[in-house]
């Protein structure tokens, strides 16, 4: 795989430049504000959704939650900083597909080991979607496929990183459809990916509906299909890829985690605080209005879900490499 050259020394230095946080006991936790590491750029889908979620979590936990954007290496730099922060429960982080699949599979960041993480719960689980501009000539997936076959290698589908969460599903789709397209990465996150679509820089985006929701809701973009077993209840008129004849089921997720060494009692307090958000009517209303795909799984369920996702993704990546569609 051809990733941009990364300075390992700079990555480690960025992850290790942490503020000192004094230790605290589980009994009086939380006694002060919590740092929330966001490994993607400000303004993107994950940043927007998780900041919204944390604003509700402040109410259930009773302290402030301060988000810090720490980007680089497809979320690897920020996630490594989370791993290396003081394990006292005062540093948590958002975790995405790339944090637990792309980065460890390709060994993008030295010292990165997902065994250093403890999962606290899920916030969203959402299928991959193919989104185009509202003024595009394609109303269906089949029309897009026909256009791609008519002009091989010319249509551009964006993603947020080569070999990552939106790239793999697009590769799987292209392979099954028998089309050749250009896969354009925007490692900075879905905000840049979305703008590239709306500006005409790309013809389509492999993305989550939540990340493109503002453009869809405003009538600037439309969804051709979702890579799910069932239609999205918020978009009942949008078919699944299975309905279009492609056995492509993929999606992303947003999780909350901390360090594995954090006291189990503190982890339990955090887990309960995050679970309580899903009981708030105002949060459920916001989730519905924004189409974020809110799904709660507790810590154990989240760990099992990550393990299952890793097995499926690693098998696909292995196959794509064997077929010459990816390089490691």
């Amino acid at each position: 795989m051809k990733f941009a050259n990364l300075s390992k020394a700079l990555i480690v230095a960025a992850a290790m430049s942490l503020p000192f946080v004094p230790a605290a006991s589980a009994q009086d936790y939380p006694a002060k504000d919590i740092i929330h590491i966001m490994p993607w750029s400000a303004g993107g889908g994950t940043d927007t959704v998780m900041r919204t979620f944390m604003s509700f979590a402040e109410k259930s936990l009773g302290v402030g939650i301060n988000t810090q954007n720490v980007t680089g290496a497809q979320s690897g730099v920020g996630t490594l900083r989370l791993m290396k922060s003081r394990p006292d429960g005062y540093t948590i982080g958002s975790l995405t597909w790339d944090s637990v699949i792309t980065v460890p599979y390709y060994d993008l960041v030295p010292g990165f080991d997902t065994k250093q993480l403890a999962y606290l719960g899920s916030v969203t689980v959402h299928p991959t979607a193919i989104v185009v501009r509202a003024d595009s000539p394609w109303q269906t997936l089949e029309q897009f496929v026909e256009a791609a076959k008519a002009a091989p290698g010319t249509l551009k589908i964006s993603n947020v990183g080569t070999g990552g969460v939106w790239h793999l599903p697009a590769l799987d789709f292209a392979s099954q459809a028998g089309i050749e397209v250009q896969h354009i990465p925007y490692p900075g996150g879905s905000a840049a990916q979305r703008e590239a679509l709306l500006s005409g820089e790309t013809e389509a985006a492999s993305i989550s509906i939540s990340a493109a929701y503002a453009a869809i809701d405003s009538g600037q973009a439309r969804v051709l299909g979702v890579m799910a077993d069932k239609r999205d209840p918020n978009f009942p008129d949008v078919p699944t890829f299975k309905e279009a004849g492609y056995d492509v089921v993929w999606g992303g997720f947003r999780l909350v985690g901390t360090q594995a060494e954090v006291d189990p009692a503190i982890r339990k307090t955090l887990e309960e605080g995050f679970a309580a958000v899903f009981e708030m009517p105002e949060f459920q209303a916001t989730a519905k209005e924004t189409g974020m795909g809110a799904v709660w799984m507790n810590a154990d369920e989240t760990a099992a879900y990550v393990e299952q996702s890793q097995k499926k993704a690693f098998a696909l990546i292995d196959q794509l490499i064997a077929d010459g569609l990816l390089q490691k």
Side-chain angles (χ1 to χ4, degrees):
M1 166 158 296
K2 296 180 179 178
F3 288 102
N5 291 327
L6 299 172
S7 168
K8 293 186 176 182
L10 288 176
I11 289 175
V12 174
M16 296 299 291
S17 58
L18 304 170
F20 175 77
V21 182
S25 68
Q27 186 174 0
D28 60 3
Y29 180 87
K32 60 182 179 181
D33 288 359
I34 295 169
I35 295 172
H36 165 231
I37 295 177
M38 166 51 58
W40 294 102
S41 298
T46 296
D47 180 78
T48 300
V49 167
M50 296 305 287
R51 283 179 184 269
T52 298
F53 178 79
M54 292 303 168
S55 70
F56 286 99
E58 288 180 326
K59 301 174 185 177
S60 60
L61 289 169
V63 295
I65 301 177
N66 304 315
T67 297
Q68 297 180 355
N69 293 86
V70 183
T71 63
Q74 292 186 226
S75 81
V77 175
T79 304
L80 181 66
R81 178 173 292 196
L82 171 65
M83 293 174 177
K84 301 303 182 183
S85 61
R86 189 179 182 89
D88 58 6
Y90 285 102
T91 305
I92 61 173
S94 288
L95 303 170
T96 61
W97 163 294
D98 290 302
S99 311
V100 299
I101 293 175
T102 309
V103 178
Y105 185 92
Y106 290 103
D107 194 23
L108 296 185
V109 178
F112 194 100
D113 183 357
T114 55
K115 291 180 180 179
Q116 299 176 64
L117 296 172
Y119 304 107
L120 300 170
S122 69
V123 176
T124 70
V125 178
H126 39 78
T128 308
I130 294 297
V131 177
V132 298
R133 289 189 309 281
D135 62 357
S136 76
W138 314 298
Q139 300 291 331
T140 66
L141 281 173
E142 277 307 321
Q143 290 176 352
F144 182 84
V145 169
E146 290 171 4
K149 288 182 176 179
T154 59
L155 297 186
K156 302 180 181 69
I157 300 180
S158 66
N159 58 71
V160 292
T162 303
V165 58
W166 307 129
H167 185 209
L168 288 180
L171 281 172
D172 195 14
F173 163 53
S175 177
Q176 291 197 32
I179 59 176
E180 181 183 349
V181 298
Q182 295 183 45
H183 298 274
I184 311 299
Y186 290 87
S190 59
Q193 184 189 15
R194 184 175 60 245
E195 290 308 310
L197 174 68
L198 297 179
S199 70
E201 191 172 307
T202 60
E203 282 75 33
S206 177
I207 196 170
S208 71
I209 286 180
S210 64
Y213 186 83
I216 298 167
D217 189 51
S218 65
Q220 295 176 287
R222 64 169 169 266
V223 188
L224 296 184
V226 293
M227 300 181 185
D229 288 312
K230 298 180 180 180
R231 293 192 179 197
D232 189 316
N234 294 312
F235 296 86
D237 296 331
V238 177
T240 67
F241 275 64
K242 281 189 171 183
E243 291 177 281
Y246 308 106
D247 188 17
V248 182
V249 179
W250 291 99
F253 44 80
R254 301 182 182 102
L255 318 174
V256 186
T258 190
Q259 307 83 15
E261 295 181 10
V262 170
D263 187 319
I266 290 178
R267 297 207 308 263
K268 190 64 176 176
T269 296
L270 286 166
E271 180 185 356
E272 291 174 349
F274 296 141
V277 172
F278 282 77
E279 302 300 321
M280 299 178 182
E282 58 268 37
F283 172 73
Q284 290 297 336
T286 298
K288 184 177 181 179
E289 290 170 4
T290 58
M292 69 169 62
V295 175
W296 171 253
M297 292 184 286
N298 65 28
D300 290 339
E301 292 168 335
T302 301
Y305 180 81
V306 169
E307 182 179 3
Q308 180 184 31
S309 298
Q310 288 174 326
K311 287 181 179 179
K312 180 182 177 183
F314 292 164
L316 174 62
I317 298 172
D318 287 341
Q319 185 60 53
L320 291 171
I321 290 174
D323 293 342
L325 296 175
L326 276 180
Q327 293 181 329
K328 185 173 182 180

